[in-house]
Amino acid sequence: MLQPLQIAVIGDMHMLFDDADIEYFNTSEYDALLFVGDLASKNPDSLFRLLPTMNRLTKPAWLIPGNHDTTGVRQIIGEITHNEFLMRFGASSQPRRMARLTRELTGATLCCYSEHTLPGGLKLVAGRPFSMGSTVGTVNFRTYLQSEYAIGTLAESAQLMKSLIDGVNPPYILMAHHGPRGLGAKATDIFGADFLPQETDFGDADLEEVIEYARSIGKAPLAVVAGHMHYPTKHGRKPKQWYLERNGIFYVNAARWPRIFKHEGQTWRHHVRLTIQDGKVDVAARYVSGDVVREVRDDYAFLP
Ligand SMILES: [Fe+2]
């Protein structure tokens, strides 16, 4: 039987991760840290300023790159506007930045379409890196995915992830930067968009297909952890559903933004605790302020 496992899921930090976080996590009870991506701010090279801090982590850690990690501003604008020229024009520097990230990141294992083993034996399957969702059914940052993984479409991405599911020995956790489609279209739903003319299910179709496939062959993940869709919501600053259980799978969106914030005069730092014991999952949002740790289980609450 697998030992109980305490996992911290750290959402989009966009540079908000510092010495206090290092001290907390290094002295915490966590067995593993999962970073769901978007370390960088809008400046793609900001990522490298964060690495000396990340590299001081002493807990085993894994990171899937988000759409801001190693990608350029022109590429992101190209993805948003579906401008092929900008997508390709800006893509030329991504391999260099990925090579540098691979070389300089020592505090966490980089995950892209890959399988890993967490302490105690639980498996981790990482999905498509750099995902930022799409309203036109494309994979984001196709130039890089094509050259590195021969992935040019959502169908090809789903196929590659299905082969990872075929190979994994359950139980396992599925990690992505952006969550799957099919979990609701409201702005306050876990991966629903509030930045389009109408509320839209913005989740990834390839990840949804892979989870369905995993269920169909009796290999459903224990949990699917992701981020990207920030909360509180952009418009109206409403709390967003940050976890839900469906068909026995726990879905987590750890992208509370900003993850470090002031509330009633105190500075709080956010992450999600995921405890796995005897095949059962327990989740809570954790807000840390100095020695004070508050846990929130309300699926829409976002303040301590
Ligand atoms: Fe993101």
Side-chain angles (χ1 to χ4, degrees):
M1 186 187 296
L2 291 167
Q3 296 295 310
L5 202 67
Q6 298 269 39
I7 298 169
V9 185
I10 298 101
D12 304 32
M13 52 176 80
H14 296 294
M15 303 301 286
L16 294 183
F17 189 79
D18 60 19
D19 290 348
D21 287 301
I22 292 292
E23 189 178 336
Y24 171 77
F25 286 116
N26 283 357
T27 57
S28 70
E29 79 281 28
Y30 286 117
D31 301 297
L33 313 177
L34 301 182
F35 292 90
V36 296
D38 273 1
L39 275 58
S41 65
K42 286 194 173 71
N43 175 356
D45 289 315
S46 62
L47 171 67
F48 301 106
R49 293 204 306 273
L50 203 61
L51 295 188
T53 304
M54 288 284 289
N55 289 344
R56 289 175 47 224
L57 287 168
T58 54
K59 298 280 183 178
W62 287 263
L63 162 71
I64 183 164
N67 54 298
H68 285 274
D69 300 327
T70 72
T71 60
V73 176
R74 286 170 302 190
Q75 278 174 284
I76 292 175
I77 293 170
E79 293 287 339
I80 292 169
T81 59
H82 315 298
N83 182 316
E84 292 281 341
F85 174 74
L86 283 177
M87 283 183 207
R88 279 197 301 272
F89 184 65
S92 57
S93 54
Q94 194 174 358
R96 177 177 52 77
R97 289 199 194 93
M98 272 301 283
R100 184 175 172 194
L101 177 62
T102 305
R103 200 170 57 241
E104 294 186 9
L105 177 67
T106 57
T109 301
L110 204 53
C111 311
C112 306
Y113 289 126
S114 51
E115 182 194 320
H116 310 269
T117 303
L118 302 184
L122 184 74
K123 299 294 181 183
L124 175 71
V125 172
R128 173 161 56 94
F130 318 116
S131 178
M132 57 187 283
S134 168
T135 54
V136 294
T138 54
V139 290
N140 309 115
F141 308 101
R142 196 165 67 247
T143 305
Y144 185 84
L145 291 189
Q146 187 82 60
S147 67
E148 199 64 24
Y149 304 102
I151 297 299
T153 65
L154 287 173
E156 288 168 349
S157 176
Q159 202 51 46
L160 179 51
M161 287 191 276
K162 284 179 189 175
S163 69
L164 289 167
I165 302 301
D166 285 337
V168 74
N169 190 16
Y172 71 99
I173 290 174
L174 194 49
M175 178 165 74
H177 175 58
H178 182 30
R181 192 178 65 180
L183 299 178
K186 294 202 299 288
T188 53
D189 285 333
I190 187 165
F191 298 112
D194 70 336
F195 45 79
L196 296 169
Q198 60 191 48
E199 293 181 305
T200 306
D201 181 347
F202 204 63
D204 279 336
D206 54 344
L207 193 56
E208 178 190 33
E209 185 181 332
V210 166
I211 294 164
E212 276 310 304
Y213 172 74
R215 288 183 62 224
S216 75
I217 61 168
K219 293 175 82 171
L222 289 177
V224 178
V225 301
H228 183 58
M229 301 297 276
H230 294 187
Y231 49 92
T233 61
K234 205 171 214 164
H235 305 297
R237 293 190 56 78
K238 294 180 196 141
K240 194 175 181 69
Q241 188 172 37
W242 62 270
Y243 84 89
L244 77 126
E245 185 182 5
R246 186 167 294 180
N247 299 318
I249 302 170
F250 269 88
Y251 294 88
V252 171
N253 172 357
R256 199 271 178 220
W257 172 257
R259 74 164 290 273
I260 304 177
F261 59 98
K262 283 221 186 271
H263 178 65
E264 295 175 350
Q266 278 178 289
T267 300
W268 295 89
R269 289 150 195 280
H270 171 267
H271 68 277
V272 174
R273 173 181 64 74
L274 195 67
T275 302
I276 295 170
Q277 185 161 21
D278 298 329
K280 291 200 167 38
V281 180
D282 179 57
V283 298
R286 271 196 176 177
Y287 294 90
V288 180
S289 183
D291 294 335
V292 180
V293 179
R294 290 195 193 165
E295 288 212 343
V296 177
R297 279 197 173 76
D298 183 324
D299 54 356
Y300 281 88
F302 61 90
L303 289 174

